[in-house]
Amino acid sequence: MTLTNKEQKIIDTHREILWLKRQIEEYEDEDKIELPEVSEETEENIKNGIDMYSNHINSMRVQIEIATLRNKNQEAILKALFERCFLRNALFSDKEVKKYINQRDKFVNKFMALYLTLKENTSELTKLQMESMQLHTENQERSRKVLELKREIDDIIMTGNTKGLHQS
């Protein structure tokens, strides 16, 4: 069986009331001070009691200051959020905001597509650079071999010419 919105709100409110009651009880329990039993009202017992109460008061002051700071921070955050929402609502309608969000999403999608293309092109460029370096190395080796062969041919030609001179 499903609950109607009204019934669900009533249940939620009841749970919140129970939770608040538990919170109140916890705070009340924290505030209870256990007083030591004083058998004699001596000056030393009175001084100890005063010291104990002043320590308790000081700790309560610290707790109040912490709670005050937390409340001020929460109020500042809420105020900033309210101002932001108020400004957004004042400057833009919901339709315009949705339009700008959709436009932003289109730009992000376009950027991601361009980024992927750039990444692919970069990897292809790296591959081509590696191939180019390999071809350059092969060409240097071939040039060296050509020079060696040219020297050998020049040596053979020289030796052939000098041979004819030696035979005559």
Side-chain angles (χ1 to χ4, degrees):
M1 179 170 103
T2 60
L3 300 175
T4 64
N5 286 338
K6 200 176 226 183
E7 291 171 332
Q8 187 62 42
K9 286 182 183 179
I10 291 171
I11 290 172
D12 291 342
T13 305
H14 181 69
R15 287 180 182 155
E16 189 173 342
I17 290 170
L18 292 175
W19 180 80
L20 288 171
K21 284 181 180 179
R22 283 193 304 270
Q23 293 295 318
I24 290 170
E25 289 173 3
E26 287 178 17
Y27 288 131
E28 287 175 349
D29 288 344
E30 287 177 4
D31 289 343
K32 289 182 182 176
I33 302 171
E34 294 182 23
L35 299 174
E37 291 186 23
V38 179
S39 58
E40 296 180 21
E41 293 297 326
T42 63
E43 192 173 317
E44 186 177 319
N45 287 341
I46 293 173
K47 285 182 182 179
N48 288 339
I50 290 172
D51 289 340
M52 186 179 73
Y53 285 121
S54 62
N55 288 339
H56 179 70
I57 289 171
N58 288 337
S59 71
M60 294 297 284
R61 281 185 183 145
V62 168
Q63 289 176 3
I64 288 173
E65 288 176 13
I66 291 171
T68 302
L69 286 174
R70 184 178 37 217
N71 287 341
K72 285 182 180 178
N73 287 340
Q74 287 176 348
E75 288 173 5
I77 291 170
L78 287 174
K79 182 180 175 187
L81 284 173
F82 175 76
E83 289 173 353
R84 181 174 174 237
C85 289
F86 178 78
L87 285 173
R88 186 192 62 83
N89 290 336
L91 294 174
F92 307 105
S93 67
D94 286 339
K95 192 175 187 179
E96 287 176 316
V97 170
K98 288 179 184 176
K99 180 181 93 173
Y100 288 130
I101 289 172
N102 290 334
Q103 186 178 14
R104 180 209 57 202
D105 291 346
K106 287 178 186 175
F107 286 141
V108 168
N109 288 335
K110 196 173 195 179
F111 169 79
M112 290 307 294
L114 288 172
Y115 177 74
L116 290 175
T117 304
L118 174 66
K119 191 174 179 181
E120 290 171 2
N121 290 342
T122 303
S123 69
E124 186 177 339
L125 176 64
T126 304
K127 180 182 171 187
L128 291 173
Q129 286 175 335
M130 294 297 288
E131 289 175 6
S132 173
M133 289 170 48
Q134 184 178 5
L135 289 174
H136 181 70
T137 305
E138 290 173 6
N139 286 340
Q140 282 181 336
E141 182 65 28
R142 286 185 182 138
S143 294
R144 188 186 59 76
K145 285 182 180 179
V146 167
L147 285 174
E148 284 178 13
L149 288 173
K150 186 177 177 186
R151 285 186 196 131
E152 286 178 19
I153 291 173
D154 287 344
D155 287 343
I156 292 173
I157 292 174
M158 289 278 234
T159 311
N161 288 338
T162 55
K163 210 180 201 183
L165 291 174
H166 290 293
Q167 287 178 357
S168 35

Short mmCIF file of all heavy atoms in Angstrom, two decimals, residues 79-115:
data_model
loop_
_atom_site.label_atom_id
_atom_site.label_comp_id
_atom_site.label_asym_id
_atom_site.label_seq_id
_atom_site.Cartn_x
_atom_site.Cartn_y
_atom_site.Cartn_z
N LYS A 79 23.31 33.02 3.75
CA LYS A 79 23.15 34.35 3.15
C LYS A 79 23.79 34.38 1.76
O LYS A 79 23.19 34.88 0.81
CB LYS A 79 23.78 35.41 4.04
CG LYS A 79 23.62 36.82 3.53
CD LYS A 79 24.27 37.83 4.46
CE LYS A 79 24.19 39.22 3.86
NZ LYS A 79 24.94 40.19 4.63
N ALA A 80 24.99 33.82 1.64
CA ALA A 80 25.68 33.79 0.35
C ALA A 80 24.89 32.97 -0.66
O ALA A 80 24.74 33.36 -1.82
CB ALA A 80 27.09 33.23 0.51
N LEU A 81 24.36 31.82 -0.22
CA LEU A 81 23.56 30.99 -1.12
C LEU A 81 22.29 31.72 -1.55
O LEU A 81 21.91 31.69 -2.73
CB LEU A 81 23.19 29.67 -0.44
CG LEU A 81 24.29 28.63 -0.35
CD1 LEU A 81 23.83 27.45 0.49
CD2 LEU A 81 24.69 28.16 -1.73
N PHE A 82 21.65 32.38 -0.60
CA PHE A 82 20.44 33.12 -0.92
C PHE A 82 20.74 34.22 -1.92
O PHE A 82 20.01 34.41 -2.89
CB PHE A 82 19.80 33.69 0.36
CG PHE A 82 18.62 34.56 0.07
CD1 PHE A 82 17.40 34.00 -0.26
CD2 PHE A 82 18.73 35.94 0.12
CE1 PHE A 82 16.31 34.80 -0.53
CE2 PHE A 82 17.63 36.75 -0.15
CZ PHE A 82 16.42 36.17 -0.47
N GLU A 83 21.82 34.97 -1.66
CA GLU A 83 22.18 36.06 -2.57
C GLU A 83 22.50 35.52 -3.96
O GLU A 83 22.11 36.11 -4.96
CB GLU A 83 23.36 36.85 -2.01
CG GLU A 83 23.00 37.69 -0.80
CD GLU A 83 24.20 38.34 -0.15
OE1 GLU A 83 25.35 38.05 -0.56
OE2 GLU A 83 23.99 39.15 0.77
N ARG A 84 23.19 34.41 -4.01
CA ARG A 84 23.54 33.81 -5.30
C ARG A 84 22.27 33.41 -6.06
O ARG A 84 22.13 33.69 -7.24
CB ARG A 84 24.43 32.60 -5.08
CG ARG A 84 24.85 31.94 -6.35
CD ARG A 84 25.87 30.83 -6.07
NE ARG A 84 26.14 30.13 -7.29
CZ ARG A 84 25.99 28.84 -7.46
NH1 ARG A 84 25.57 28.11 -6.46
NH2 ARG A 84 26.24 28.27 -8.60
N CYS A 85 21.37 32.73 -5.35
CA CYS A 85 20.12 32.32 -5.99
C CYS A 85 19.29 33.53 -6.40
O CYS A 85 18.70 33.56 -7.48
CB CYS A 85 19.31 31.42 -5.05
SG CYS A 85 20.03 29.80 -4.81
N PHE A 86 19.27 34.53 -5.52
CA PHE A 86 18.50 35.74 -5.82
C PHE A 86 19.06 36.42 -7.06
O PHE A 86 18.32 36.82 -7.96
CB PHE A 86 18.54 36.69 -4.61
CG PHE A 86 17.82 37.98 -4.86
CD1 PHE A 86 16.43 38.03 -4.80
CD2 PHE A 86 18.52 39.14 -5.16
CE1 PHE A 86 15.76 39.21 -5.04
CE2 PHE A 86 17.85 40.33 -5.40
CZ PHE A 86 16.47 40.36 -5.34
N LEU A 87 20.40 36.55 -7.13
CA LEU A 87 21.02 37.19 -8.29
C LEU A 87 20.77 36.39 -9.56
O LEU A 87 20.46 36.94 -10.61
CB LEU A 87 22.52 37.36 -8.07
CG LEU A 87 22.93 38.48 -7.13
CD1 LEU A 87 24.42 38.43 -6.87
CD2 LEU A 87 22.54 39.82 -7.72
N ARG A 88 20.92 35.07 -9.45
CA ARG A 88 20.67 34.23 -10.63
C ARG A 88 19.24 34.38 -11.11
O ARG A 88 18.98 34.56 -12.30
CB ARG A 88 20.96 32.77 -10.33
CG ARG A 88 20.86 31.89 -11.59
CD ARG A 88 20.87 30.41 -11.28
NE ARG A 88 19.77 29.94 -10.47
CZ ARG A 88 18.56 29.63 -10.96
NH1 ARG A 88 18.29 29.77 -12.22
NH2 ARG A 88 17.62 29.19 -10.14
N ASN A 89 18.31 34.36 -10.16
CA ASN A 89 16.90 34.50 -10.53
C ASN A 89 16.60 35.89 -11.07
O ASN A 89 15.76 36.05 -11.95
CB ASN A 89 15.98 34.20 -9.34
CG ASN A 89 15.99 32.73 -8.99
OD1 ASN A 89 16.29 31.89 -9.83
ND2 ASN A 89 15.69 32.40 -7.74
N ALA A 90 17.30 36.90 -10.52
CA ALA A 90 17.07 38.26 -10.99
C ALA A 90 17.66 38.47 -12.39
O ALA A 90 17.09 39.17 -13.22
CB ALA A 90 17.69 39.27 -10.01
N LEU A 91 18.80 37.86 -12.65
CA LEU A 91 19.47 38.05 -13.94
C LEU A 91 18.92 37.14 -15.04
O LEU A 91 18.84 37.53 -16.19
CB LEU A 91 20.97 37.83 -13.79
CG LEU A 91 21.71 38.84 -12.92
CD1 LEU A 91 23.16 38.41 -12.74
CD2 LEU A 91 21.63 40.22 -13.54
N PHE A 92 18.57 35.92 -14.67
CA PHE A 92 18.19 34.93 -15.67
C PHE A 92 16.91 34.21 -15.25
O PHE A 92 16.73 33.90 -14.08
CB PHE A 92 19.28 33.86 -15.85
CG PHE A 92 20.64 34.43 -16.13
CD1 PHE A 92 21.60 34.43 -15.15
CD2 PHE A 92 20.93 34.96 -17.37
CE1 PHE A 92 22.86 34.95 -15.41
CE2 PHE A 92 22.18 35.48 -17.63
CZ PHE A 92 23.15 35.47 -16.65
N SER A 93 16.10 33.93 -16.24
CA SER A 93 14.94 33.08 -15.97
C SER A 93 15.39 31.63 -16.02
O SER A 93 16.49 31.33 -16.49
CB SER A 93 13.85 33.34 -17.02
OG SER A 93 14.28 32.88 -18.29
N ASP A 94 14.55 30.74 -15.55
CA ASP A 94 14.90 29.32 -15.57
C ASP A 94 15.13 28.84 -17.00
O ASP A 94 15.99 28.01 -17.26
CB ASP A 94 13.81 28.48 -14.90
CG ASP A 94 13.80 28.62 -13.39
OD1 ASP A 94 14.85 29.03 -12.84
OD2 ASP A 94 12.77 28.34 -12.77
N LYS A 95 14.36 29.39 -17.91
CA LYS A 95 14.50 29.01 -19.32
C LYS A 95 15.88 29.42 -19.85
O LYS A 95 16.54 28.65 -20.54
CB LYS A 95 13.40 29.69 -20.13
CG LYS A 95 13.23 29.18 -21.52
CD LYS A 95 12.03 29.83 -22.19
CE LYS A 95 11.76 29.21 -23.53
NZ LYS A 95 10.59 29.80 -24.18
N GLU A 96 16.32 30.63 -19.48
CA GLU A 96 17.64 31.10 -19.92
C GLU A 96 18.76 30.26 -19.29
O GLU A 96 19.74 29.93 -19.94
CB GLU A 96 17.84 32.57 -19.54
CG GLU A 96 17.04 33.53 -20.37
CD GLU A 96 17.20 34.96 -19.88
OE1 GLU A 96 17.15 35.17 -18.65
OE2 GLU A 96 17.39 35.84 -20.72
N VAL A 97 18.59 29.93 -18.02
CA VAL A 97 19.61 29.12 -17.33
C VAL A 97 19.73 27.77 -18.02
O VAL A 97 20.84 27.29 -18.29
CB VAL A 97 19.27 28.96 -15.83
CG1 VAL A 97 20.17 27.93 -15.17
CG2 VAL A 97 19.36 30.30 -15.11
N LYS A 98 18.60 27.15 -18.33
CA LYS A 98 18.63 25.86 -19.01
C LYS A 98 19.28 26.00 -20.39
O LYS A 98 20.04 25.13 -20.82
CB LYS A 98 17.22 25.29 -19.14
CG LYS A 98 16.66 24.78 -17.84
CD LYS A 98 15.25 24.25 -17.99
CE LYS A 98 14.70 23.84 -16.62
NZ LYS A 98 13.32 23.41 -16.70
N LYS A 99 18.99 27.12 -21.06
CA LYS A 99 19.59 27.36 -22.38
C LYS A 99 21.11 27.45 -22.25
O LYS A 99 21.85 26.85 -23.03
CB LYS A 99 19.03 28.65 -22.98
CG LYS A 99 19.58 28.98 -24.35
CD LYS A 99 19.00 30.28 -24.88
CE LYS A 99 19.95 31.38 -24.48
NZ LYS A 99 19.65 32.68 -25.03
N TYR A 100 21.60 28.18 -21.23
CA TYR A 100 23.03 28.34 -21.03
C TYR A 100 23.69 27.01 -20.62
O TYR A 100 24.81 26.71 -21.02
CB TYR A 100 23.35 29.42 -20.01
CG TYR A 100 23.08 30.82 -20.52
CD1 TYR A 100 22.32 31.72 -19.78
CD2 TYR A 100 23.58 31.24 -21.74
CE1 TYR A 100 22.08 33.00 -20.25
CE2 TYR A 100 23.34 32.51 -22.20
CZ TYR A 100 22.59 33.39 -21.46
OH TYR A 100 22.36 34.65 -21.93
N ILE A 101 22.98 26.25 -19.83
CA ILE A 101 23.51 24.93 -19.43
C ILE A 101 23.63 24.03 -20.65
O ILE A 101 24.65 23.35 -20.85
CB ILE A 101 22.64 24.30 -18.33
CG1 ILE A 101 22.82 25.05 -17.01
CG2 ILE A 101 22.96 22.82 -18.16
CD1 ILE A 101 21.88 24.63 -15.91
N ASN A 102 22.61 24.02 -21.49
CA ASN A 102 22.65 23.21 -22.71
C ASN A 102 23.77 23.69 -23.64
O ASN A 102 24.48 22.87 -24.24
CB ASN A 102 21.31 23.24 -23.44
CG ASN A 102 20.24 22.48 -22.69
OD1 ASN A 102 20.53 21.57 -21.93
ND2 ASN A 102 18.99 22.87 -22.87
N GLN A 103 23.93 25.01 -23.73
CA GLN A 103 25.00 25.57 -24.56
C GLN A 103 26.36 25.15 -24.02
O GLN A 103 27.25 24.75 -24.77
CB GLN A 103 24.88 27.10 -24.59
CG GLN A 103 25.84 27.77 -25.54
CD GLN A 103 25.64 29.29 -25.54
OE1 GLN A 103 24.98 29.84 -24.66
NE2 GLN A 103 26.22 29.94 -26.52
N ARG A 104 26.52 25.21 -22.70
CA ARG A 104 27.77 24.78 -22.09
C ARG A 104 28.04 23.30 -22.37
O ARG A 104 29.15 22.91 -22.72
CB ARG A 104 27.71 25.01 -20.58
CG ARG A 104 28.99 24.57 -19.86
CD ARG A 104 28.80 24.12 -18.46
NE ARG A 104 27.84 23.04 -18.37
CZ ARG A 104 27.18 22.74 -17.28
NH1 ARG A 104 27.35 23.42 -16.19
NH2 ARG A 104 26.32 21.73 -17.25
N ASP A 105 26.99 22.48 -22.26
CA ASP A 105 27.15 21.05 -22.52
C ASP A 105 27.56 20.79 -23.96
O ASP A 105 28.40 19.93 -24.22
CB ASP A 105 25.85 20.31 -22.19
CG ASP A 105 25.57 20.28 -20.70
OD1 ASP A 105 26.48 20.59 -19.91
OD2 ASP A 105 24.42 19.95 -20.32
N LYS A 106 27.00 21.56 -24.90
CA LYS A 106 27.38 21.40 -26.31
C LYS A 106 28.85 21.77 -26.49
O LYS A 106 29.59 21.08 -27.21
CB LYS A 106 26.51 22.29 -27.20
CG LYS A 106 25.10 21.78 -27.37
CD LYS A 106 24.28 22.72 -28.22
CE LYS A 106 22.81 22.28 -28.27
NZ LYS A 106 21.98 23.25 -29.00
N PHE A 107 29.29 22.85 -25.85
CA PHE A 107 30.69 23.26 -25.95
C PHE A 107 31.62 22.21 -25.36
O PHE A 107 32.69 21.92 -25.90
CB PHE A 107 30.93 24.61 -25.28
CG PHE A 107 30.41 25.79 -26.07
CD1 PHE A 107 29.81 26.85 -25.42
CD2 PHE A 107 30.51 25.83 -27.45
CE1 PHE A 107 29.33 27.94 -26.13
CE2 PHE A 107 30.04 26.91 -28.16
CZ PHE A 107 29.44 27.97 -27.51
N VAL A 108 31.21 21.63 -24.23
CA VAL A 108 32.03 20.60 -23.60
C VAL A 108 32.13 19.38 -24.52
O VAL A 108 33.21 18.82 -24.70
CB VAL A 108 31.46 20.21 -22.21
CG1 VAL A 108 32.11 18.95 -21.69
CG2 VAL A 108 31.65 21.35 -21.23
N ASN A 109 31.01 18.99 -25.13
CA ASN A 109 31.03 17.85 -26.06
C ASN A 109 31.93 18.14 -27.26
O ASN A 109 32.70 17.29 -27.69
CB ASN A 109 29.62 17.51 -26.52
CG ASN A 109 28.79 16.86 -25.43
OD1 ASN A 109 29.33 16.26 -24.52
ND2 ASN A 109 27.48 16.99 -25.52
N LYS A 110 31.82 19.36 -27.78
CA LYS A 110 32.65 19.76 -28.91
C LYS A 110 34.13 19.74 -28.52
O LYS A 110 34.98 19.26 -29.27
CB LYS A 110 32.25 21.16 -29.38
CG LYS A 110 32.73 21.54 -30.73
CD LYS A 110 32.12 22.88 -31.13
CE LYS A 110 32.30 23.13 -32.60
NZ LYS A 110 31.70 24.40 -33.01
N PHE A 111 34.42 20.26 -27.34
CA PHE A 111 35.80 20.27 -26.85
C PHE A 111 36.33 18.85 -26.73
O PHE A 111 37.47 18.57 -27.13
CB PHE A 111 35.89 20.99 -25.49
CG PHE A 111 37.22 20.81 -24.82
CD1 PHE A 111 38.31 21.56 -25.21
CD2 PHE A 111 37.39 19.87 -23.80
CE1 PHE A 111 39.54 21.39 -24.61
CE2 PHE A 111 38.61 19.69 -23.20
CZ PHE A 111 39.69 20.46 -23.60
N MET A 112 35.53 17.95 -26.16
CA MET A 112 35.98 16.57 -25.98
C MET A 112 36.23 15.90 -27.33
O MET A 112 37.20 15.16 -27.50
CB MET A 112 34.95 15.77 -25.17
CG MET A 112 34.87 16.19 -23.71
SD MET A 112 36.44 16.19 -22.85
CE MET A 112 36.85 14.47 -22.85
N ALA A 113 35.37 16.18 -28.33
CA ALA A 113 35.58 15.61 -29.66
C ALA A 113 36.87 16.15 -30.26
O ALA A 113 37.67 15.39 -30.83
CB ALA A 113 34.39 15.94 -30.56
N LEU A 114 37.11 17.46 -30.12
CA LEU A 114 38.34 18.05 -30.63
C LEU A 114 39.56 17.50 -29.89
O LEU A 114 40.61 17.25 -30.50
CB LEU A 114 38.29 19.58 -30.50
CG LEU A 114 37.34 20.29 -31.46
CD1 LEU A 114 37.23 21.77 -31.11
CD2 LEU A 114 37.79 20.11 -32.90
N TYR A 115 39.41 17.31 -28.61
CA TYR A 115 40.52 16.77 -27.81
C TYR A 115 40.87 15.35 -28.27
O TYR A 115 42.05 15.01 -28.40
CB TYR A 115 40.16 16.78 -26.33
CG TYR A 115 41.22 16.17 -25.45
CD1 TYR A 115 42.40 16.85 -25.20
CD2 TYR A 115 41.04 14.91 -24.90
CE1 TYR A 115 43.39 16.29 -24.41
CE2 TYR A 115 42.02 14.34 -24.11
CZ TYR A 115 43.19 15.04 -23.87
OH TYR A 115 44.16 14.47 -23.09
#
